[in-house]
Amino acid sequence: MMSVTPIPALSDNYIWLLRQDTSQSVCVVDPGEAAPVIEFLERESLSLDSILITHHHHDHTGGLAELIKRYSPHVIGPANSSIEGIDEAVGDGDEIRIMGRLFDVMATPGHTLDHISYFTAGIPALLFCGDTLFCAGCGRLFEGTPEQMFTALKQFAELPEDTLVFAAHEYTQANLTFARAADPENEDVKHALEECEKARALDRPTLPSTIGRELKINPYLRVNTDSVRQAAGTQGANDNDLATFTTLREWKNRF
Ligand code: ZN
Ligand code: FE
């Protein structure tokens, strides 16, 4: 059984720590900082086996150099990227093995062009999607096109509904506040926002989510519903799913 623990970092990042059963050797995803990872490993007497990287942004890679120096982990990250310290450069369709478990690499460009995500089937299935899919939201388009991001999100929507979604940021509250405007008739969004506010007041993570939950509350996965399409229509084009998605993403930037 693989357990996944959040290590909060920077202002709103989570560095996810993967541990197989009671193994002392673990993996972290997107270490934007080294200090909180080192602190966690020391406290729990763990060693660092490997690191997964989703994309080149500093808040996902800033801790790499120090962790490499200290633990010499096996570092897996995107090919065609400027990231320094990667041992195994991977791309769409590649399979990797992390602590005995097989992960599929999915190219998920949009937020950045080098962005990849990691999925492992099983009970439960796990998805590490960096800054592509967030709880009730999706990443900003810094490098890619709306079409690329929309394609990535549609791939995620096809994954098993009980897949646990480990996004890299605690953006849920802002995303759900936007989702109330973008999907105004959705009662699930309303309830999710209430739950989220309670969790955040207690400083609890709102992640992981699940694919099933995202299909219910994430407006970017619901562009084919009347509620979202009509709301998008008040802000811009909504004549097809991609147009609705594009309008939503631009609307969120100025929301
Ligand atoms: Zn990013
Ligand atoms: Fe980020």
Side-chain angles (χ1 to χ4, degrees):
M1 182 83 181
M2 190 170 265
S3 64
V4 186
T5 310
I7 301 175
L10 301 167
S11 56
D12 48 31
N13 281 73
Y14 291 125
I15 300 168
W16 296 105
L17 181 136
L18 285 62
R19 188 174 183 189
Q20 187 67 38
D21 299 313
T22 53
S23 165
Q24 294 304 109
S25 196
V26 301
C27 169
V28 294
V29 184
D30 284 353
E33 288 189 285
V37 176
I38 294 169
E39 196 181 300
F40 190 100
L41 297 177
E42 301 268 293
R43 193 173 63 232
E44 305 281 329
S45 304
L46 301 171
S47 68
L48 191 59
D49 169 84
S50 44
I51 296 178
L52 298 180
I53 300 288
T54 61
H55 67 294
H56 67 83
H57 282 160
H58 194 73
D59 62 310
H60 300 252
T61 58
L64 254 185
E66 199 177 334
L67 292 174
I68 290 171
K69 210 166 118 193
R70 194 174 174 120
Y71 300 101
S72 306
H74 183 64
V75 183
I76 299 173
N80 308 314
S81 187
S82 55
I83 304 163
E84 275 181 40
I86 290 186
D87 302 305
E88 188 177 352
V90 295
D92 199 45
D94 286 343
E95 280 187 340
I96 56 164
R97 192 172 282 279
I98 293 291
M99 299 180 302
R101 192 153 162 174
L102 219 49
F103 285 72
D104 296 316
V105 178
M106 305 163 75
T108 52
H111 176 69
T112 62
L113 290 176
D114 67 347
H115 202 299
I116 56 176
S117 299
Y118 300 91
F119 171 77
T120 177
I123 305 168
L126 313 172
L127 174 68
F128 297 90
C129 49
D131 288 356
T132 299
L133 176 66
F134 293 123
C135 180
C138 75
R140 258 178 206 262
L141 302 174
F142 284 115
E143 297 174 10
T145 63
E147 189 165 13
Q148 284 177 315
M149 177 61 96
F150 191 48
T151 302
L153 296 179
K154 281 195 288 191
Q155 276 181 266
F156 292 153
E158 299 294 314
L159 296 174
E161 291 206 0
D162 58 2
T163 302
L164 295 172
V165 176
F166 297 93
H169 288 272
E170 180 61 65
Y171 287 162
T172 311
Q173 195 162 353
N175 286 338
L176 283 168
T177 303
F178 174 69
R180 286 289 289 140
D183 193 358
E185 285 163 40
N186 188 336
E187 288 292 313
D188 291 326
V189 167
K190 197 175 159 193
H191 294 139
L193 181 56
E194 288 162 6
E195 269 175 44
C196 169
E197 282 166 351
K198 279 183 208 154
R200 293 311 295 150
L202 298 168
D203 209 28
R204 288 197 188 130
T206 61
L207 296 166
S209 185
T210 65
I211 292 295
R213 177 171 161 84
E214 291 310 305
L215 291 171
K216 286 188 181 151
I217 63 171
N218 192 315
Y220 303 98
L221 300 181
R222 299 174 51 78
V223 294
N224 59 348
T225 64
D226 287 342
S227 174
V228 174
R229 196 187 306 121
Q230 281 168 18
T234 68
Q235 304 293 320
N238 67 345
D239 28 84
N240 56 53
D241 289 350
L242 177 60
T244 302
F245 171 80
T246 305
T247 296
L248 279 191
R249 190 51 264 188
E250 284 168 3
W251 181 11
K252 173 67 164 60
N253 291 345
R254 58 178 190 270
F255 186 74

